[in-house]
């Protein structure tokens, strides 16, 4: 593994070089150098992504962003995003055998995941597997290692010392890839430039050369790749599927976002590529669908000749590779005229108009994951629109007036994941960020350019001047094309914020861990796994050379650990005065991770043993939190609190509110906090940019309703592991480890604020999520992570009759773990409609259910659980009766629903049967592919149920012997253990396929679902049956009964 | 015509109500409640039953409002975490307008009451 180091450091140094080079070249801002560098680093992620993917999915991958000519071009040359694996690996493999060889082959097995586990079906490569709307299945399945090593690659680009250190951190799996990433990218980069350009525009190659000195030396041999180029390019013509499933690709994005380049004065277009593209070639996805042709041929031919140096224009529009390109590109600012014109082209989906009688049509659930509805916009606009995974509205057609909205009885709101990992994200570094002068909206694809010099804000309709600097497009190197700038071509974009956006210098990443070490905590044995996880992931913590780390433990006293560089071992300081907590020697408690790494590791190794003999049963959580807050308040950062019992000492002590013996009888459930200490502390934390994440590992009542406030208002998150025990509950241990790994290594943004703006006439009504609302449209988020989601209720304040489109813009200003201040902007554009029918037509049932779930959660806290449940049922009844009374012309018997809402009753019923609606659950309910009814089960098969936080594999009594032996590894049915939570890794294709599918499912979500194998006598069977939401249970209605109930109410 | 205690109370209430009008706009909640409670007590002492009766509903509302404030361990009336929700914000604003109207009317009533007391005694 010494070999890897070299290229890696090479990569890092080139990064530096590029930066320096760019700095020196600042006189002539838009040189090739930095851009190339950008590509290089983007390349890294991509090539890695590919390595582990199955080639089959490639044809659908399309370079993410081709709108951006320079990068697009150079990408297109190499077209790294498109190129089948083999192309890529050609050079890479030849040069660095080991890395490629080490790539896991398994992922290819995932390609045909299918929901049913019975073997026969799972063999069919049906590309239509699983429930959630949040991921598209057929797509290549990221192997577990993906984001890890991408993470490495991130550090790789970042010209920082830490990049080297990462080498030590992880295992053999990664380091080779490190190599390949470090180098193949460089390689390809050069290769691309060489190969693409000749194709396009013969005189061009020279233009790339100037950049080359800044970039890596051209070591690769262009010829082989050049030969492949045609192949690579052809896939681009395939209509681009979505990049719906951006979610888990942490690595890639962290790459694109944080790690990657500070290319200055230029645009980096970071192309992650269609890493996750789906196997469905539907042109669903807005963001990616503006794929190829759109961008390159943009310029009139004359321009191409005059600016031969612009790589972007190099490809002649007539190129065979871009058949659809030229005409698509009209080079329009989306002016008003254009919009009107485009509106006329609207057509309604024929199936959308269908009215469905739910009582008659039983199997409404599609066998494929539900796709979000596409707003009824002209395709030119739609393809610029924001990805529904990031930003989604419950009604894709906005009603014109509040009256119309009230009539429809559907909730209007937004669901957004502003910091979600992205496959590709354009980053703009520019000294002026163009914003509307009155409403401060960032310029976005949906503004209209009145002429070359003026643009009209799409939110407040103010006419603004285009600044001089914005007239120049660094990508095409053309002056006078403001509408071609990346800001105007991308609904999701990231700006490097200049110093006006900082109240103080960007904070370093600060991580503080607060451990409960009372007797109860030691008993659960959680310290071992947590410390081990921390040790493993210490090098992967997002950060830079300034990263700080600290530890506090507490029982009835508070223990601090001095980790100052130079000490031979960590020094423990005990503060027993919990009434008035003070910080002993504040400067050495939070230490630089790099400088004191050995001490930190030392501490983590000894910590689990230090308290094994403790007899202290009290827990002074409140004072410990105060101390931690004091310690962190100068900088801000992330506080991770591990708590195992009810706090009993000092401020914030809680009393058990639920007596165990009364619990069954007492109907009252305490969902409101019993003390506001935690809430107030959370607000203090929020003010000092500290976020508190609570890990509650508890076998006993610990009043999560009160404790949870500490995370809720400081924008943290709560992880709950009921009855955690290292021996008795190994499943929870595994879950904790997996989730900790994700938690520790995922990206993080510090001292963030998010503002949501919307077109004049709309206003924000209520926010749902973990944050502090600082003003009516501003959320204070001390930390933000890719898994965080927020819901917003909207209302229509003024009539929107004179407008046809409305836009929503969320802007997240944050400090990356590299200490850069950045702004991530998402803009969503939706049409306005005037009739009720259209409103129903555009309803997004997943988003509606998601928003309703959020509303219900908050309602159950402020009012009561039963109130929330009633509200959910009423939401269905109201909207359906509204539909019946106003939108249906002829009154038919039965329960008529619009096609768009056909799953609404089912989703709501599923929500109701969730048992509890958990506070942190912000996922959109996901329909199972099979309807959840016992009717669908048979004894002859095995069925996998994905219930979000758990997976259950139900094995029928007469399940095929084949499955039992090949997948479960048991001889016969009776030998399946009572509690089986793991599938054995057998050397059979069936086993590999099943395991691959399950691990793929797990990667789709930020938490780690436990797998239970259930047979008829298993204790979990009741749980399994409870999730059969379509069936009748003792206390709840079956789906059909529910429909009848609704029908009764609706027809009243 | 003599300057009685009742007249003094009215005069005081007159001045304080002028202050309350501003407090109602700017939501200086605690001073507002204190002042209002203060001259209610003064009217009680002056045995101005009608005036006291007119103020009783508001006093009761204030007490109820304060007792059911969201953050119980602090003196503040508004919960910083929820106040920005549109319905709560709208409610608080509506409350402010209603009180403003009430104080304006009360201002003239106190003026009348003071003169009436002065003249009649």
């Amino acid at each position: 593994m010494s070999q890897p180091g070299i290229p890696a450091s090479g990569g890092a140094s080139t990064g530096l070089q590029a930066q320096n080079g760019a700095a020196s070249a600042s006189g002539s801002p838009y040189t090739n150098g930095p851009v190339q560098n950008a590509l290089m680093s983007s390349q890294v992620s991509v090539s890695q992504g590919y390595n582990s993917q199955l080639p089959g999915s490639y044809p659908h991958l399309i370079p993410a962003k081709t709108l951006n000519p320079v990068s697009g071009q150079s990408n297109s040359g190499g077209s790294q995003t498109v190129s089948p694996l083999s192309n890529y690996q050609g050079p890479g493999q030849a040069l660095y055998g080991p890395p490629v060889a080490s790539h896991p082959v398994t992922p290819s097995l995932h390609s045909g995941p299918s929901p049913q586990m019975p073997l026969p079906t799972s063999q069919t490569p049906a590309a239509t597997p699983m429930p959630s709307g949040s991921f598209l299945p057929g797509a290549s399945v990221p192997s577990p290692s993906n984001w890890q090593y991408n993470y490495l690659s991130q550090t790789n680009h970042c010209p920082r010392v830490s990049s080297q250190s990462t080498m030590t951190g992880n295992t053999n799996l990664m380091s080779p890839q490190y190599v390949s990433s470090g180098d193949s990218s460089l390689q390809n980069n050069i290769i691309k430039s060489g190969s693409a350009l000749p194709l396009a525009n013969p005189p061009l190659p020279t233009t790339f050369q100037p950049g080359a000195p800044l970039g890596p030396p051209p070591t690769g041999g262009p010829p082989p790749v050049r030969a492949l180029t045609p192949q690579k390019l052809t896939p681009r013509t395939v209509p681009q599927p979505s990049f719906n499933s951006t979610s888990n690709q942490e690595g890639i994005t962290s790459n694109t976002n944080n790690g990657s380049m500070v290319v200055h004065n230029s645009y980096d277009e970071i192309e992650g590529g269609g890493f996750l593209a789906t196997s469905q070639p539907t042109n669903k996805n807005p963001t990616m669908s503006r794929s190829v042709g759109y961008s390159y041929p943009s310029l009139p031919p004359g321009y191409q000749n005059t600016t031969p140096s612009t790589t972007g224009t190099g490809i002649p529009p007539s190129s065979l590779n871009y058949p659809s390109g030229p005409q698509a590109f009209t080079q329009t600012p989306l002016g008003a005229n254009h919009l009107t014109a485009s509106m006329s082209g609207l057509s309604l989906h024929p199936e959308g108009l269908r009215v469905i009688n739910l009582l008659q049509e039983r199997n409404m659930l599609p066998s494929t994951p539900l796709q979000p509805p596409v707003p009824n916009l002209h395709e030119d606009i739609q393809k610029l629109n924001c990805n529904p995974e990031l930003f989604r509205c419950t009604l894709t057609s906005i009603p014109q007036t509040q009256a119309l909205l009230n009539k429809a009885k559907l909730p209007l709101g937004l669901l957004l994941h502003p910091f979600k990992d992205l496959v590709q994200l354009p980053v703009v570094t520019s000294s002026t960020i163009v914003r509307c002068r009155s409403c401060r909206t960032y310029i976005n694809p949906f503004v209209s350019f009145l002429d070359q010099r003026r643009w009209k804000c799409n939110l407040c309709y103010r006419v603004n001047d285009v600044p001089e600097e914005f007239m120049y497009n660094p990508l095409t190197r053309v002056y006078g094309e403001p509408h071609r700038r990346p800001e105007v071509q991308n609904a999701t974009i990231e700006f490097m914020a200049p110093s006006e956006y900082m109240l103080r210098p960007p904070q370093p990443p600060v991580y503080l861990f607060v451990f409960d070490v009372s007797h109860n905590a030691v008993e659960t044995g959680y310290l071992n796994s947590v410390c081990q996880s921390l040790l493993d992931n210490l090098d992967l913590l997002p950060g830079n050379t300034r990263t700080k780390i600290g530890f506090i433990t507490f029982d009835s006293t508070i223990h601090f650990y001095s980790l100052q560089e130079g000490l031979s071992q960590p020094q423990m300081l005990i503060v027993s005065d919990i009434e008035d907590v003070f910080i002993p020697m504040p400067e050495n408690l939070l230490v630089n991770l790099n400088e004191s790494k050995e001490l930190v590791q030392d501490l983590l190794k000894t910590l689990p043993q230090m308290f094994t003999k403790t007899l202290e049963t009290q827990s002074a959580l409140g004072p410990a939190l105060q101390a931690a807050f004091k310690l962190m308040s100068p900088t801000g950062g992330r506080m991770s609190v591990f708590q195992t019992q009810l706090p009993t000492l000092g401020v914030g002590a809680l009393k058990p509110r639920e007596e165990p013996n009364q619990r069954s009888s007492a109907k009252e459930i305490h969902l409101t906090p019993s003390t506001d200490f935690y809430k107030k502390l959370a607000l203090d934390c929020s003010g000092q940019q500290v976020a508190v994440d609570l890990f509650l590992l508890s076998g006993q009542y610990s009043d999560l309703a009160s404790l949870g406030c500490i995370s809720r208002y400081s924008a943290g998150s709560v992880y709950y592991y009921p009855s955690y025990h290292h021996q008795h509950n190994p499943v929870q241990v595994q879950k904790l480890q997996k989730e900790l790994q994700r938690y520790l290594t995922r990206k993080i943004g510090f001292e963030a604020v998010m503002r949501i703006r919307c077109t004049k006439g709309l206003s924000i009504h209520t926010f749902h999520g973990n944050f502090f609302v600082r003003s009516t449209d501003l959320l204070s988020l001390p930390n933000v992570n890719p898994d965080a989601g927020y819901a917003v209720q909207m209302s229509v304040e003024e009539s929107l009759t004179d407008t046809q489109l409305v836009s929503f813009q969320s802007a997240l200003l944050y400090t990356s773990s590299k200490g850069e201040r950045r702004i991530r902007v998402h803009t969503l554009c939706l049409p306005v409609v005037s009739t009720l029918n259209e409103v129903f037509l555009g309803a997004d049932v997943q988003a509606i259910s998601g928003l309703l779930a959020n509303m219900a959660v908050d309602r159950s806290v402020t009012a009561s659980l039963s109130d929330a449940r009633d509200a959910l049922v009423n939401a269905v009844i109201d909207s359906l009766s509204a539909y019946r009374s106003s939108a249906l012309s002829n009154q038919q018997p039965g329960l008529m629903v619009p096609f768009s809402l056909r799953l609404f009753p089912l989703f709501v019923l599923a929500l109701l049967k969730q048992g509890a609606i958990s506070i942190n659950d912000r996922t959109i309910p996901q329909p199972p592919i099979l309807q959840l009814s016992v009717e669908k089960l048979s004894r002859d098969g095995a069925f996998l149920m994905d219930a979000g936080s758990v997976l259950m594999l139900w094995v029928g009594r007469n399940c095929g012997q084949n499955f039992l032996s090949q997948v479960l590894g048991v001889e016969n049915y009776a030998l399946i253990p009572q509690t089986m939570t793991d599938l054995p890794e057998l050397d059979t294709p069936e086993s590999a396929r099943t395991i691959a599918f399950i691990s793929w499912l797990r990667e789709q979500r930020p938490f780690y679902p436990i797998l239970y194998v259930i047979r008829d006598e298993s204790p979990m069977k009741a749980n399994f049956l409870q999730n059969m939401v379509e069936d009748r249970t003792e206390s709840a209605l079956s789906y059909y009964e529910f429909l009848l109930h609704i029908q009764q109410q609706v027809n009243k | 015509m003599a300057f009685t205690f009742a007249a003094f109370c009215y005069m005081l209430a007159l001045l304080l109500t002028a202050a309350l009008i501003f407090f109602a706009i700017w939501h200086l909640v605690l001073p507002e409640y204190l002042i209002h409670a203060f001259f209610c007590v003064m009217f009680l002492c002056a045995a101005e039953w009608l005036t006291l009766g007119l103020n009783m509903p508001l006093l009761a509302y204030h007490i109820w409002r304060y007792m059911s404030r969201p953050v119980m361990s602090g003196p503040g009336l508004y919960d910083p975490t929820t106040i920005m929700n549109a319905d709560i914000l709208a409610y608080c604003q509506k409350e402010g307008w209603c009180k403003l109207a009430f104080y304006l009317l009360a201002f003239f009533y106190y003026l009348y009451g003071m003169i009436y007391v002065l003249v009649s005694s």
Side-chain angles (χ1 to χ4, degrees):
Chain A
M1 287 303 114
S2 64
Q3 198 188 0
I6 301 158
S9 61
S13 66
T14 47
L16 273 174
Q17 222 179 19
Q19 254 190 333
N20 297 339
S24 66
S26 59
S28 57
Y30 303 110
T31 57
N32 263 343
V35 175
Q36 247 191 338
N37 185 34
L39 280 169
M40 171 186 80
S41 39
S42 67
Q43 188 74 30
V44 172
S45 65
V46 172
S47 60
Q48 284 180 336
Y50 279 135
N51 285 342
S52 58
Q53 307 241 331
L54 67 162
S57 65
Y58 282 113
H60 308 295
L61 299 178
I62 283 219
K65 169 120 324 164
T66 49
L67 284 179
N68 203 330
V70 164
S71 61
Q73 150 106 29
S74 23
N75 283 335
S76 75
S79 94
Q80 83 258 42
T81 43
V82 181
S83 64
L85 181 54
S86 53
N87 288 347
Y88 246 20
Q89 287 201 336
Q93 206 157 18
L95 290 172
Y96 302 102
V100 179
S102 75
H103 292 312
V105 196
T106 43
S108 61
L109 291 169
H110 311 220
S111 66
S114 90
Q116 267 182 338
M117 274 300 123
L119 274 180
T121 46
S122 68
Q123 272 161 356
T124 64
T128 58
M130 255 337 248
S132 92
S134 65
F135 50 84
L136 292 178
S140 51
V141 180
S143 80
S145 57
N146 268 343
W147 54 271
Q148 293 179 343
Y149 59 72
N150 281 325
Y151 187 82
L152 278 179
S153 71
Q154 168 189 1
T155 50
N156 187 6
H157 322 274
C158 173
R160 293 227 164 87
V161 188
S162 61
S163 63
Q164 253 84 14
S165 66
T166 51
M167 289 303 301
T168 62
N170 249 305
T171 52
N172 45 7
L173 216 179
M174 304 182 160
S175 32
Q177 274 139 4
Y178 201 159
V179 183
S180 69
S181 71
D183 215 280
S184 69
S185 66
L186 308 188
Q187 190 108 359
N188 288 327
N189 194 13
I190 295 303
I191 291 166
K192 270 185 300 175
S193 60
S195 62
L197 290 170
L199 235 188
N201 215 343
L204 280 185
T206 49
T207 61
F208 247 79
Q209 295 310 328
L214 290 175
T219 50
V225 178
R226 189 179 302 181
L228 291 171
T229 323
Q231 264 182 7
K232 293 178 177 180
L233 288 176
T234 39
R236 312 190 74 169
T237 59
V238 174
Q240 177 49 17
S242 71
F243 70 129
N244 250 351
S245 39
T246 47
S247 63
N248 286 313
Q249 285 6 88
E250 152 120 357
I252 288 215
T253 16
S254 54
N255 191 353
T256 56
N257 296 334
N258 289 342
S260 60
M261 54 261 30
V262 191
V263 172
H264 88 162
N265 247 342
S266 68
Y267 292 85
D268 328 318
E269 190 65 78
I270 302 170
E271 300 225 3
F275 183 53
L276 283 170
T278 69
S279 57
Q280 290 165 312
T282 51
N283 203 344
K284 263 288 201 253
N285 195 301
T287 345
M288 295 264 298
S289 59
R290 63 182 122 129
S291 62
V292 190
Y294 196 60
S295 61
Y296 299 128
S298 59
L299 294 173
Y303 273 53
Q304 292 174 13
N305 298 332
T306 55
T307 61
S309 65
T310 62
T311 54
T313 55
I315 298 178
S318 58
S319 157
L320 283 178
N321 296 321
Y322 303 99
S324 64
Q327 62 275 31
F329 188 75
T330 46
Q331 95 56 255
T332 45
L334 296 172
N337 303 338
H338 179 67
L339 293 187
T340 7
S342 68
M343 294 298 284
S344 63
L346 298 180
S347 63
L348 304 176
H349 314 281
E351 91 275 15
L353 286 172
R354 248 177 76 201
V355 177
I356 288 173
N357 187 346
L358 280 183
L359 292 178
Q360 279 165 10
E361 298 188 38
R362 285 219 53 203
N363 298 323
M364 285 320 302
L365 203 60
S367 55
T368 54
L370 204 59
Q371 297 292 331
V374 181
N376 202 356
L377 290 167
H378 190 271
E379 60 176 323
D380 283 352
I381 308 174
Q382 180 51 33
K383 66 184 160 195
L384 292 174
N385 224 342
C386 198
N387 181 1
E389 280 299 294
L390 302 171
F391 207 157
R392 192 158 176 181
C393 186
T394 55
L395 303 177
T396 54
S397 306
I398 304 290
Q400 224 169 29
T401 57
Q402 181 73 34
L404 189 60
L405 178 60
N406 291 343
K407 234 192 257 173
K409 304 269 189 196
L410 287 170
L412 173 61
L414 304 171
L415 295 178
L416 62 165
H417 295 88
F419 201 56
K420 196 160 199 162
D421 291 331
L422 293 170
V423 177
Q424 51 88 22
L425 173 71
V427 180
V428 170
T429 311
S430 157
S431 54
T432 51
I433 296 177
V434 181
R435 302 174 67 176
C436 173
R437 283 167 59 92
S438 69
C439 66
R440 308 300 293 151
T441 299
Y442 296 82
I443 196 165
N444 60 66
F446 312 108
V447 302
S448 42
F449 282 91
L450 300 180
D451 54 44
Q452 290 266 312
R453 291 282 171 181
R454 291 181 303 155
W455 61 279
K456 190 172 172 191
C457 176
N458 54 338
L459 270 66
C460 68
Y461 306 118
R462 184 195 157 102
V463 176
N464 294 277
D465 291 336
V466 176
E468 188 59 33
E469 197 182 323
F470 201 73
M471 297 294 291
Y472 179 74
N473 186 346
L475 295 176
T476 55
R477 301 176 166 234
V478 171
Y479 184 83
E481 283 193 334
H483 51 271
R484 302 273 296 123
R485 299 259 304 195
E487 291 94 325
V488 191
Q489 295 289 350
N490 295 289
T492 294
I493 196 162
E494 188 153 285
F495 296 94
M496 306 290 299
S499 54
E500 301 97 274
Y501 292 84
M502 302 172 195
L503 293 174
R504 56 176 188 178
Q507 68 163 81
V510 179
Y511 305 107
L512 179 66
F513 295 90
V514 183
F515 295 118
D516 180 4
V517 292
S518 61
H519 178 71
N520 188 43
V522 173
E523 199 58 12
T524 64
Y526 83 92
L527 269 177
N528 267 319
S529 23
V530 173
C531 288
Q532 193 52 47
S533 283
L534 257 173
L535 269 176
D536 293 343
N537 295 303
L538 206 54
D539 295 321
L540 299 177
L541 280 178
N544 55 10
T545 49
R546 297 198 298 158
T547 308
K548 285 179 160 187
I549 194 166
F551 297 90
I552 290 178
T553 56
F554 66 94
D555 39 32
S556 63
T557 56
I558 301 168
H559 323 132
F560 297 89
Y561 296 88
S562 169
L563 300 166
Q564 196 196 7
E565 202 186 356
L567 286 177
S568 59
Q569 59 176 30
Q571 200 181 351
M572 179 164 151
L573 308 158
I574 300 179
V575 173
S576 54
D577 181 9
I578 55 168
E579 295 306 316
D580 181 22
V581 183
F582 64 96
I583 308 282
M585 49 192 303
E587 63 278 8
N588 297 333
L589 299 178
L590 275 178
V591 292
N592 187 303
L593 179 58
N594 288 340
E595 290 166 7
S596 305
K597 183 170 280 174
E598 284 177 9
L599 278 175
V600 170
Q601 286 168 339
D602 213 20
L603 175 65
L604 286 174
K605 280 173 196 150
T606 52
L607 203 55
Q609 277 75 50
M610 282 165 68
F611 299 95
T612 43
K613 301 274 189 310
T614 184
L615 293 174
E616 189 56 70
T617 54
Q618 304 278 52
S619 162
L621 176 66
L625 286 174
Q626 283 180 324
F629 167 64
K630 277 188 190 166
L631 193 57
M632 296 191 83
S633 55
T635 51
R638 181 174 78 187
M639 188 196 300
S640 314
V641 180
F642 294 81
Q643 169 74 6
T644 60
Q645 57 171 326
L646 204 63
T648 49
L649 273 188
V651 283
L654 297 171
K655 296 210 164 42
R657 285 190 286 178
E658 283 175 16
E659 295 301 324
N661 45 4
Q662 292 176 359
R663 197 178 295 164
S664 53
S665 60
K667 275 286 159 217
E668 193 186 6
I669 304 167
H670 295 280
L671 292 173
T672 48
S674 60
T675 168
D676 54 17
F677 167 77
Y678 294 98
K679 187 181 196 172
K680 289 201 303 190
L681 188 61
L683 294 184
D684 291 341
C685 287
S686 177
Q688 298 298 328
Q689 308 294 351
V690 177
V692 185
D693 292 323
L694 179 66
F695 289 79
L696 190 61
L697 314 110
S698 175
Q700 42 177 305
Y701 176 74
S702 40
D703 204 352
L704 187 54
S706 303
L707 292 182
C709 287
I710 188 77
S711 297
R712 178 172 161 86
Y713 300 108
S714 65
S717 32
V718 177
Y719 292 79
Y720 182 42
Y721 304 90
S723 58
Y724 182 93
H725 195 280
H726 65 119
Q727 280 166 343
H728 304 157
N729 206 342
V731 184
Q732 293 280 11
V733 178
Q734 189 192 15
K735 186 172 158 71
L736 174 69
Q737 278 170 342
K738 297 283 183 187
E739 292 183 357
L740 258 184
Q741 187 179 27
R742 164 79 180 156
Y743 171 78
L744 292 171
T745 54
R746 70 188 176 190
K747 278 189 308 156
I748 183 169
F750 295 98
E751 41 183 4
V753 287
M754 182 169 74
R755 194 182 287 275
I756 299 174
R757 297 182 175 88
C758 43
T759 296
K760 200 169 69 178
L762 293 169
S763 73
I764 293 170
H765 192 272
T766 312
F767 290 97
H768 302 278
N770 287 5
F771 44 67
F772 172 55
V773 190
R774 218 192 284 169
S775 106
T776 48
D777 57 351
L778 185 70
L779 301 183
S780 164
L781 305 166
N783 279 3
V784 63
N785 66 64
D787 305 327
Y790 306 94
V792 186
Q793 279 183 68
M794 311 286 304
S795 55
V796 186
E797 297 256 294
E798 297 164 31
S799 163
L800 299 167
T801 37
D802 48 356
T803 170
Q804 285 174 324
L805 295 174
V806 292
S807 299
F808 304 90
Q809 185 172 71
S810 81
L812 177 76
L813 172 65
Y814 69 97
T815 302
S816 75
S817 53
K818 305 289 175 208
E820 293 157 344
R821 202 79 172 133
R822 288 165 169 245
I823 309 164
R824 189 173 295 183
V825 178
H826 304 288
T827 314
L828 177 72
C829 182
L830 294 173
V832 175
V833 296
S834 55
T835 67
L836 206 52
N837 246 330
E838 289 167 294
V839 175
F840 278 110
L841 197 62
D844 179 346
V845 69
Q846 284 175 308
I848 290 174
S849 315
L851 181 65
L852 281 178
N854 272 301
M855 291 163 67
V857 167
D858 283 355
R859 173 75 76 94
S860 60
V861 173
T862 53
S864 72
L865 205 54
S866 59
D867 206 6
R869 297 173 66 89
D870 290 346
L872 279 177
V873 179
N874 286 337
V876 182
I877 293 172
D878 287 351
S879 56
L880 294 190
S881 51
Y883 181 73
R884 184 185 174 84
S885 60
S886 48
L888 276 184
S889 47
N890 50 343
Q891 297 284 324
Q892 297 152 310
L895 184 58
M896 310 308 290
V897 296
F899 186 75
S900 59
L901 289 179
R902 67 198 184 284
L903 297 174
F904 193 28
L906 178 59
F907 282 3
V908 169
L909 182 66
L911 270 181
L912 291 174
K913 292 195 177 182
Q914 272 286 307
I917 313 168
S918 81
I919 287 194
N920 234 18
D921 186 12
R922 313 227 166 277
T923 51
I924 294 166
Q926 298 165 353
I929 296 305
L930 270 186
Q931 296 191 330
L932 286 174
S933 170
V934 173
E935 177 191 333
K936 301 286 174 188
L937 291 180
S938 84
R939 291 190 166 226
D940 304 330
F943 296 85
L944 183 70
M945 172 192 281
D946 176 7
S949 51
V950 282
L951 296 169
M952 290 184 251
L953 180 64
W954 184 83
V955 185
R957 182 171 289 282
N958 302 332
C959 181
Q961 183 60 35
N962 202 19
F963 184 82
L964 291 178
S965 56
Q966 309 263 319
V967 176
L968 299 177
V970 291
E971 286 304 308
N972 58 49
Y973 185 75
L975 288 182
I976 299 176
Q978 278 285 340
T979 51
M980 183 172 175
T981 55
D982 233 341
L983 291 181
E985 293 199 19
L986 302 178
D987 196 18
T988 58
E990 291 85 358
S991 168
R993 197 181 300 117
T994 314
I995 290 176
F997 176 59
I998 288 172
S999 65
W1000 173 73
L1001 278 179
R1002 282 175 170 161
E1003 276 165 40
Q1004 301 304 318
R1005 51 207 79 185
F1007 41 83
Y1008 181 84
I1010 302 172
L1011 173 74
Y1012 293 101
V1013 179
I1014 295 171
R1015 56 179 194 149
D1016 264 355
E1017 304 83 31
S1018 298
M1020 287 293 289
K1021 194 185 172 194
N1023 256 334
F1024 181 75
L1025 292 180
Q1026 193 199 342
N1027 275 308
M1028 291 292 178
V1029 293
E1030 294 199 8
D1031 292 344
R1032 188 194 173 103
T1033 60
E1034 280 172 28
S1035 55
L1037 302 175
S1038 74
Y1039 180 53
Y1040 191 72
E1041 289 169 323
F1042 185 67
L1043 286 180
L1044 285 177
H1045 171 68
I1046 288 176
Q1047 187 202 9
Q1048 248 173 23
Q1049 299 292 321
V1050 166
N1051 293 350
K1052 229 178 356 195
Chain B
M1 174 164 161
F3 193 72
T4 60
F5 180 65
F8 172 73
C9 286
Y10 276 116
M11 196 186 70
L12 205 62
L14 196 64
L15 293 174
L16 292 176
T17 306
L20 287 186
I21 288 171
F22 292 101
F23 289 176
I25 296 174
W26 286 322
H27 292 274
L28 289 177
V29 175
L30 286 185
E32 179 194 331
Y33 286 13
L34 289 177
I35 289 172
H36 186 254
F38 169 70
F39 65 68
C40 282
V41 172
M42 295 285 281
F43 285 128
L44 182 70
C45 298
E48 290 290 326
W49 305 118
L50 176 65
T51 315
L52 186 64
L54 289 176
N55 275 299
M56 276 318 283
L58 185 61
L59 187 67
Y61 174 73
H62 281 172
I63 291 171
W64 171 79
R65 189 78 211 272
Y66 195 72
M67 295 313 284
S68 62
R69 69 191 187 279
V71 183
M72 288 304 283
S73 63
L77 188 68
Y78 300 122
D79 182 350
T81 58
T82 56
I83 185 67
M84 287 301 167
N85 284 358
D87 13 5
I88 296 177
L89 200 58
Y91 174 79
C92 293
Q93 276 171 342
K94 215 175 284 170
E95 184 192 32
W97 286 114
C98 291
K99 280 193 192 171
L100 180 66
F102 178 82
Y103 290 140
L104 273 175
L105 288 175
F107 179 82
F108 292 106
Y109 172 77
Y110 297 147
L111 188 64
Y112 166 81
M114 184 178 76
I115 294 169
Y116 181 82
V117 170
L118 283 176
V119 170
S120 63
S121 58

